[in-house]
Amino acid sequence: MYSKLISVAFVLAATLASTSAVVYPRGDNDVTPTPPMMPTVTPTTTLTPTTTSPSSTTPKTSTTPSPTTTLTPTTTTKPPTTTPTPTPTTTVTPTVRPTGTGKPDGHPNKASAPSVPCDGVQPWQANLAYSAGAQVIFNNQLWTASQWSYNNNPESAAGAWTLNGACNQPISNKVDCTGIPAWNKSTAYPGASKVTFNGHLWISTQWTESNSPGDTSGTWKDLGACN
């Protein structure tokens, strides 16, 4: 910067010197003019202070982070509403047992059951199959089979038998055996054949041979005592 100012001053001085020269005409009596005094140009150096602007300082803003508040939803759990279940009230109806000689198995005896006629009905027979509707006498009571039953007496299988009542006394269940042949071991008998055996009338429930009436085969049914 300073060197440029000095160069400008020297150029300016040289320019002024060339323009200040005076030319006079020559003659005999001419006096040699004294050349004018050349002004001495002292270059003036003007120092222009250069102000260097401070660089713009962008103020840094210090940002203080604001605390972030995280909202955690609070769940309020309501206890389940319990609907009280009403406790059923059980009314116990006392069971009145009839007085007399009632049996503890729950079946009424002839003293508590209605009286019914049992004439012509034969006693229950073991090892014999009974179809629904068949009637028997068991412990002087009349029973009717409510379903097919085999070798189950009425009091041991109450679900298979229905009590009708106590039998009227005396019971007349004898049958006429006139003309009925006696059972023969060597004879084959088809179903529904009748024979007499031990003073009773019997009828075969199926084809049978050599099975005596009243045995455990259940092939013969007792129809009653002969007259």
Side-chain angles (χ1 to χ4, degrees), residues 45-142:
T45 302
T46 304
L47 297 176
T48 305
T50 302
T51 305
T52 303
S53 301
S55 58
S56 295
T57 302
T58 303
K60 294 183 180 180
T61 304
S62 177
T63 305
T64 303
S66 300
T68 303
T69 304
T70 303
L71 298 178
T72 303
T74 303
T75 304
T76 303
T77 304
K78 293 183 178 181
T81 304
T82 303
T83 304
T85 303
T87 303
T89 303
T90 304
T91 304
V92 179
T93 304
T95 303
V96 180
R97 290 183 177 274
T99 58
T101 58
K103 294 190 176 182
D105 55 9
H107 297 291
N109 59 14
K110 66 179 182 179
S112 59
S115 180
V116 292
C118 297
D119 293 345
V121 181
Q122 302 304 316
W124 175 81
Q125 182 181 335
N127 302 313
L128 185 66
Y130 290 94
S131 301
Q135 289 186 319
V136 297
I137 296 173
F138 189 80
N139 287 340
N140 287 323
Q141 293 175 322
L142 180 64

